[in-house]
Amino acid sequence: MSSALQLGAIGTSLQRIDGVLKVTGTAAYAFEQPVERPTYMHALLSQVARGTIVTVDSAEASAMDGVVLVLTYENAPRLADENNQELFILQDPEVHFRGQIVGAVVAESPEIAREAAARVRITYVERPHDVVLRADHPELYKPDQVNPSFETDTAEGDMAEAIGAASITIDQHYTTPMEHNNPMEPHATIAIHVGDALTLYDSTQGPFAVASSIAPLFGLEPQRVRVIAPHVGGGFGSKGTPHAHIVLAGLAAQMIPGRAVKLALTRQQMFSLVGYRTPTIQHVRIAADADGRLLGISNEVVEQTARIKEFAEQTAVPTRMMYAAASRLTAHRLAPLDVPVPSWMRAPGECPGMFAPEVAMDELAHAAGVDPVDLRILNEPETDPETGNPWSSRRLTECLRDGAERFGWSERHAQPASRHDDGWLVGLGVASAVYPVNRMPGTSARIIRLPDGRYCVHIAAADIGTGAWTSLTQIAADALGVSTEQIDLQIGDSSLPPASVAGGSSGTTTWGSGIVAAAERFREVHGDDPPGGAAVTADTPENPDEDDYAMYAFGAHFAEARVNAATGEIRVPRMLGIFDAGRIINPRLARSQFIGG
C-alpha cells in the first residue's frame, strides 16, 4: 500500500481538502459567487403580527438613483403552487406573523437597496393575534404525525396502574425555550432567471431538495432549476429546507431576466424567516419501585406551530425507547399561533425530548437514594422497548461508566447544595444521550474514470462545515482502492446525481453508501483496468437490517455546574461527552464535531 493511499484510508486524520480555501478566504460561499452585473436585494418584513396591508407607498424609494425594482404583492409574479404557505409569498396582502416578507427592494448596491427599503411606507389594518404558548390553549389539536413520520401518540401497558403500584412517583412539568438557528454564514441566495431556467447559488444543506421544492412554485420542471452550493457556513437544520427568502430572490429574478439578484438576510431577519426550535411544555411522569426500577414512564408534550404551516416536533419520541418500563405513554399536542414557522433545529425532537425525562430521572435518583449513573444502568432495556427488536449496538452503560471515571464522578455530593467552593455551590450532573441512525432514500452517486487514470465522483451532497469534501473523498478512495489524490470529488450542485439533505446525522452514511455502491458496480462492469470515460451510476442501497434491529447511537454527558450563592450567577467550567459513534471515517473531523456539538 502506498503512503498516499495510507494517508487517505478510512480512519486516518486526513487534513480537510477545503481547509486552505477556507482559512485563506477563497472558498466562495453563496453570496460571494462571481456573477456579472449583479443587483442587490433587501427584504421588507411586516411590523405587525396579524393583519392586512392597506397601502404601499414606494414612490420615494423607486425614485432613488440605483433602484432597479420595488417588489410587493401588487406587482409580484404569480406563483404556481400554493401547497406550502411558508413559500407562497407576495401573492396577497395578508400578514400572518410579525417578520413575514411583505416586499423587497432591488438596487445596484446593497447600501442603496437597504436605504430605499427604509423609505417604503406600508400601512396595515391590524387584527387580534395570539402568540403565547400555554398548556391549556383552547385550540390545542393532535397532529396526524410528528416529524418526520412518527405516530403522534403511543401507549403500552397502563400508566395509571403503574403509578398506583409505585413506591416512588415523579410528576413534573418542564419547559424548554424557543431556540433559533443562526449559523455563521447567513442565509443567502443569488437568483438568475434566463428563459425558462432558474439558477440559484444558495446556502443550503440540500441542493437537490431546494431544486425539487422551488421548481413547482415557479411552474418549472425540476431540471430547469439548478442549485449550486459548494461551501456552506453552517446550517443546524435551518438550511435543510427552503425558506421564503429563496422564493423572494426568484421572483425578483423573474422580473429582471438575465440579471443576477443577490440576497443575504440580516441577522435580525433570520429570526423570523429561517425556522427555529419550538418551545415545549412537557408533562413527565415516572413510576418506580423503591430501588428506582421503572414501572412506567410518560411524556405528554405541548408545543407551538404556525397557523399557516404545521411543524410537529417529535419531542416525546425518545421516551418510547430509552429505558425499560412495562408501561409507557407519549403524546403530542400543537397550539396554532400567529408566529413564524418552526422547523428543524439541530437534533429536532431528541434535544428537548431528552431534557425533560433526564431531569426527571435525576429527581427519581434523589428520591430513591440511588446514584444517577447507577439508576440509568439499572433501567437499561435488553431490547428496544418500542419494537422489541434487538439493538444493533447499545453501549450506553460503557459510556456512563467510562465518563464517570474520566470526569471524577466519585467526588460528587449526593445531597444537593452541600458542596461549596469560595462562595459557589458546586454540583456534578449526568445525562444520557441518544440519536437514531438514519440512512435516507433517494440518493445516487456517479463514478467516471478520467483519461489520466483519476476518478471523478459526482453526488449532490452538501458540506455544511462538517467535512464532507474530505470524508467522501476518503470513502471513494477506499472503495476504489486508490489514493485520495486520484479522486476528483464534485458535490454541492443539484445537476449532479440526487442526494439527501445534510441532516439527521445521515449524510456520511447515506452518501458514503451510495459511493461504495457505485464503486462496486464500477468494478463489476469495467473490471480492474477500466478505460478512460468508463462510468456508472448507482443508488444508495436500503439497509437490509433496519427492520430487524433497533439502530441508535448512544452517549453520556457529564457537567460541572457552579451557582454563586450570593448572586445566582451560573457557570459551567467543564463538560465531558462520551459517545458510541460507530465507525469513524476521519478522527480529526470527528473531534471537531464533538467539540462543536
Side-chain angles (χ1 to χ4, degrees):
M1 179 180 289
S2 70
S3 59
L5 177 57
Q6 178 62 40
L7 180 64
I10 287 178
T12 60
S13 292
L14 181 68
Q15 291 186 8
R16 292 183 70 120
I17 288 173
D18 54 339
V20 172
L21 293 176
K22 289 188 172 180
V23 299
T24 58
T26 53
Y29 291 83
F31 195 78
E32 301 167 328
Q33 295 289 340
V35 293
E36 293 184 4
R37 297 178 60 236
T39 62
Y40 298 86
M41 170 181 277
H42 188 81
L44 291 163
L45 308 189
S46 68
Q47 299 301 304
V48 302
R50 191 178 181 195
T52 303
I53 297 172
V54 177
T55 63
V56 179
D57 181 358
S58 60
E60 184 181 357
S62 298
M64 287 180 60
D65 288 342
V67 170
V68 177
L69 171 69
V70 178
L71 181 63
T72 71
Y73 81 93
E74 295 174 332
N75 64 345
R78 298 298 92 185
L79 294 170
D81 186 345
E82 58 182 291
N83 287 327
N84 187 331
Q85 285 295 303
E86 179 188 4
L87 304 182
F88 198 67
I89 60 169
L90 300 186
Q91 303 298 290
D92 59 46
E94 298 306 307
V95 174
H96 303 283
F97 58 88
R98 180 179 171 86
Q100 173 184 317
I101 292 175
V102 293
V105 172
V106 180
E108 299 292 350
S109 75
E111 294 82 7
I112 295 172
R114 190 159 187 166
E115 175 62 25
R119 301 187 187 191
V120 177
R121 311 287 183 235
I122 301 176
T123 62
Y124 308 85
V125 170
E126 294 189 57
R127 295 200 299 276
H129 60 269
D130 182 4
V131 296
V132 178
L133 174 66
R134 59 185 198 271
D136 60 348
H137 194 281
E139 295 183 61
L140 285 183
Y141 72 95
K142 175 184 175 182
D144 292 336
Q145 61 185 24
V146 293
N147 177 58
S149 56
F150 291 106
E151 290 184 56
T152 303
D153 297 353
T154 60
E156 294 289 337
D158 189 319
M159 270 304 294
E161 212 172 82
I163 290 171
S167 299
I168 305 170
T169 59
I170 304 296
D171 189 329
Q172 295 285 359
H173 287 82
Y174 306 93
T175 61
T176 59
M178 183 184 301
E179 293 179 303
H180 289 269
N181 329 60
N182 226 288
M184 186 177 294
E185 180 198 16
H187 291 65
T189 299
I190 301 176
I192 308 169
H193 198 281
V194 178
D196 64 345
L198 177 62
T199 299
L200 299 169
Y201 296 94
D202 189 48
S203 182
T204 176
Q205 294 173 229
F208 188 79
V210 172
S212 302
S213 299
I214 294 299
L217 282 162
F218 289 91
L220 300 173
E221 293 297 318
Q223 63 269 23
R224 305 305 296 168
V225 177
R226 184 181 179 189
V227 180
I228 302 168
H231 303 288
V232 181
F236 313 115
S238 65
K239 297 176 183 175
T241 185
H243 297 291
H245 67 283
I246 303 175
V247 182
L248 183 66
L251 288 170
Q254 260 192 321
M255 298 179 73
I256 50 173
R259 291 204 69 182
V261 177
K262 285 192 168 191
L263 170 62
L265 295 182
T266 67
R267 288 290 169 199
Q268 294 88 343
Q269 291 171 340
M270 287 167 64
F271 282 91
S272 65
L273 291 178
V274 300
Y276 58 94
R277 194 193 304 282
T278 176
T280 72
I281 303 169
Q282 302 181 51
H283 180 199
V284 176
R285 293 176 295 161
I286 293 179
D289 65 18
D291 296 325
R293 193 179 301 275
L294 299 189
L295 306 177
I297 184 170
S298 69
N299 191 4
E300 297 166 274
V301 183
V302 173
E303 53 200 37
Q304 74 184 38
T305 190
R307 211 177 287 276
I308 63 166
K309 179 185 175 182
E310 179 182 284
F311 181 79
E313 185 142 331
Q314 71 278 26
T315 309
V317 166
T319 301
R320 300 173 183 175
M321 51 65 60
M322 194 62 204
Y323 296 113
S327 297
R328 300 181 312 284
L329 183 149
T330 65
H332 299 82
R333 296 296 179 266
L334 300 181
L337 302 177
D338 303 307
V339 295
V341 180
S343 187
W344 304 329
M345 180 171 177
R346 197 165 192 174
E350 282 77 17
C351 183
M354 282 294 287
F355 166 76
E358 286 300 292
V359 175
M361 288 291 283
D362 276 357
E363 296 183 6
L364 172 61
H366 180 67
V370 177
D371 182 274
V373 169
D374 294 337
L375 179 75
R376 287 164 170 81
I377 295 172
L378 175 68
N379 286 288
E380 272 285 283
E382 292 185 5
T383 59
D384 178 10
E386 185 176 19
T387 65
N389 287 341
W391 307 104
S392 58
S393 67
R394 179 171 171 129
R395 300 179 64 187
L396 176 57
T397 293
E398 292 95 320
C399 290
L400 288 164
R401 287 178 172 153
D402 186 28
E405 176 69 24
R406 292 170 182 261
F407 198 68
W409 185 253
S410 60
E411 298 174 9
R412 172 183 173 270
H413 289 202
Q415 190 63 31
S418 62
R419 182 178 172 187
H420 300 259
D421 181 13
D422 194 23
W424 294 83
L425 302 175
V426 183
L428 302 184
V430 64
S432 299
V434 67
Y435 201 77
V437 175
N438 298 310
R439 185 187 291 184
M440 301 300 185
T443 293
S444 301
R446 179 169 59 237
I447 294 177
I448 305 170
R449 171 80 164 188
L450 300 176
D452 64 1
R454 293 164 52 78
Y455 291 86
C456 206
V457 179
H458 295 170
I459 185 169
D463 190 332
I464 60 174
T466 50
W469 279 107
T470 307
S471 60
L472 295 184
T473 296
Q474 289 181 262
I475 290 170
D478 183 81
L480 289 166
V482 299
S483 73
T484 54
E485 287 82 0
Q486 291 176 264
I487 301 297
D488 179 8
L489 178 71
Q490 294 185 28
I491 62 174
D493 189 329
S494 66
S495 67
L496 300 172
S500 59
V501 168
S505 295
S506 66
T508 301
T509 183
T510 302
W511 310 329
S513 296
I515 290 172
V516 170
E520 292 174 348
R521 178 66 177 152
F522 189 93
R523 285 176 159 174
E524 289 175 5
V525 174
H526 300 293
D528 294 329
D529 188 22
V536 300
T537 300
D539 298 335
T540 293
E542 293 184 2
N543 185 339
D545 297 320
E546 66 181 357
D547 292 330
D548 299 323
Y549 290 89
M551 298 186 181
Y552 296 88
F554 293 92
H557 295 281
F558 292 82
E560 176 185 324
R562 291 174 173 250
V563 180
N564 190 287
T567 67
E569 178 186 354
I570 299 171
R571 293 182 182 176
V572 182
R574 61 191 183 104
M575 289 188 67
L576 173 69
I578 302 289
F579 307 103
D580 179 23
R583 189 182 188 190
I584 300 297
I585 304 299
N586 185 314
R588 184 192 304 254
L589 300 179
R591 180 178 184 275
S592 293
Q593 289 204 36
F594 293 144
I595 293 171

